[in-house]
Amino acid sequence: MINAEKPRLYVLPPLPYDYKDLQPYISEEQLRIHHQKHHQAYVNGANAILERLDKARKDSADLDVKSTLKELSWNIGGHVLHGMFWSNLAPAGKGGGGQPKGASGDAINKEFGSFERFKKEFTQAAVSVEGSGWAALTRCRQTGRLIIMQIEKHNTNVYPGYRILMVLDVFEHAYYIDYKNDRAKFVDAFWNIVNWNEINKRLEEAQK
Ligand SMILES: [Fe+2]
């Protein structure tokens, strides 16, 4: 049954801060283009495929299911991950940066031994993504353990059903204006704008 209250297509979510608020770690220009052009492109891409599917079903027309679903996975993955990324960032000193406290601090210490060790492993995961992709901190539903996921593109190496607590976009489109090709410098800057309150919230929801 279709839930009439749910939108049938994706929409670009507004950022929970202004474009200039993540400076100096992400410039206004970089953030604006990333959100308005790149993220929007995944929203548009996913919606175009959904409309194509709707039409083909209505017309009883054949389509190339394999390539359509591959393209859909790329676009939905891009849309969902960007939405998570924006909300796990916050302006430095105003919710962003510092060390995790509460639930995420405890869980990170338990799994990794220390925040420094976690930071090192996550940084290495982000810096070494082959091509374009993401680093993600996830929680396994079966064991409750925190596990780092190194996503290639938007959809490869994903552990099915693991709750994503924090993501870092390391597509070059995330940092080329500010850092040129220096991904490591961008990853280093990321730690100043991590929204630990949001990560705590996601973890607490996952632990319910
Ligand atoms: Fe991106």
Side-chain angles (χ1 to χ4, degrees):
M1 202 175 99
I2 294 165
N3 182 345
E5 290 175 14
K6 288 253 187 211
R8 300 264 297 148
L9 294 172
Y10 297 107
V11 288
L12 182 71
L15 295 184
Y17 33 74
D18 287 336
Y19 287 112
K20 61 181 182 333
D21 286 352
L22 301 183
Q23 296 185 121
Y25 304 105
I26 300 177
S27 69
E28 180 176 356
E29 184 188 13
Q30 178 74 75
L31 188 56
R32 192 182 292 277
I33 289 176
H34 195 176
H35 180 246
Q36 293 182 349
K37 301 293 181 191
H38 295 282
H39 187 170
Q40 182 73 61
Y42 300 122
V43 171
N44 296 347
N47 288 341
I49 297 160
L50 291 174
E51 284 171 340
R52 205 190 304 155
L53 284 167
D54 285 343
K55 187 170 186 314
R57 289 167 190 163
K58 194 165 154 263
D59 298 346
S60 293
D62 285 334
L63 42 71
D64 183 340
V65 171
K66 185 180 174 187
S67 75
T68 302
L69 295 184
K70 196 169 179 177
E71 205 187 332
L72 188 60
S73 170
W74 159 265
N75 282 287
I76 289 180
H79 167 53
V80 171
L81 287 168
H82 279 92
M84 289 179 174
F85 183 48
W86 307 134
S87 59
N88 70 221
L89 299 178
K94 293 178 189 162
Q99 295 213 358
K101 295 187 185 72
S104 62
D106 293 345
I108 284 170
N109 285 335
K110 189 175 171 198
E111 181 63 38
F112 297 93
S114 68
F115 174 62
E116 287 312 313
R117 174 71 200 191
F118 161 69
K119 193 174 164 182
K120 187 176 168 189
E121 282 189 31
F122 191 89
T123 295
Q124 286 172 339
V127 170
S128 66
V129 172
E130 205 171 291
S132 296
W134 301 75
L137 176 64
T138 74
R139 180 181 182 275
C140 171
R141 290 172 203 268
Q142 291 179 25
T143 63
R145 292 185 65 164
L146 299 190
I147 300 187
I148 295 171
M149 183 155 77
Q150 188 185 53
I151 306 169
E152 291 173 11
K153 300 186 279 186
H154 299 307
N155 45 3
T156 302
N157 298 346
V158 170
Y159 314 140
Y162 280 46
R163 177 67 182 239
I164 293 180
L165 306 174
M166 175 174 101
V167 289
L168 169 57
D169 186 346
V170 290
F171 273 62
E172 211 167 77
H173 73 218
Y175 57 85
Y176 65 104
I177 294 169
D178 294 340
Y179 300 97
K180 295 195 173 66
N181 60 339
D182 195 344
R183 183 190 287 179
K185 206 170 166 190
F186 171 60
V187 172
D188 200 39
F190 162 74
W191 297 105
N192 295 290
I193 48 173
V194 176
N195 182 349
W196 291 110
N197 285 337
E198 173 65 19
I199 292 152
N200 273 339
K201 209 172 87 189
R202 292 178 191 174
L203 179 58
E204 281 160 6
E205 276 167 18
Q207 287 169 334
K208 275 180 194 165

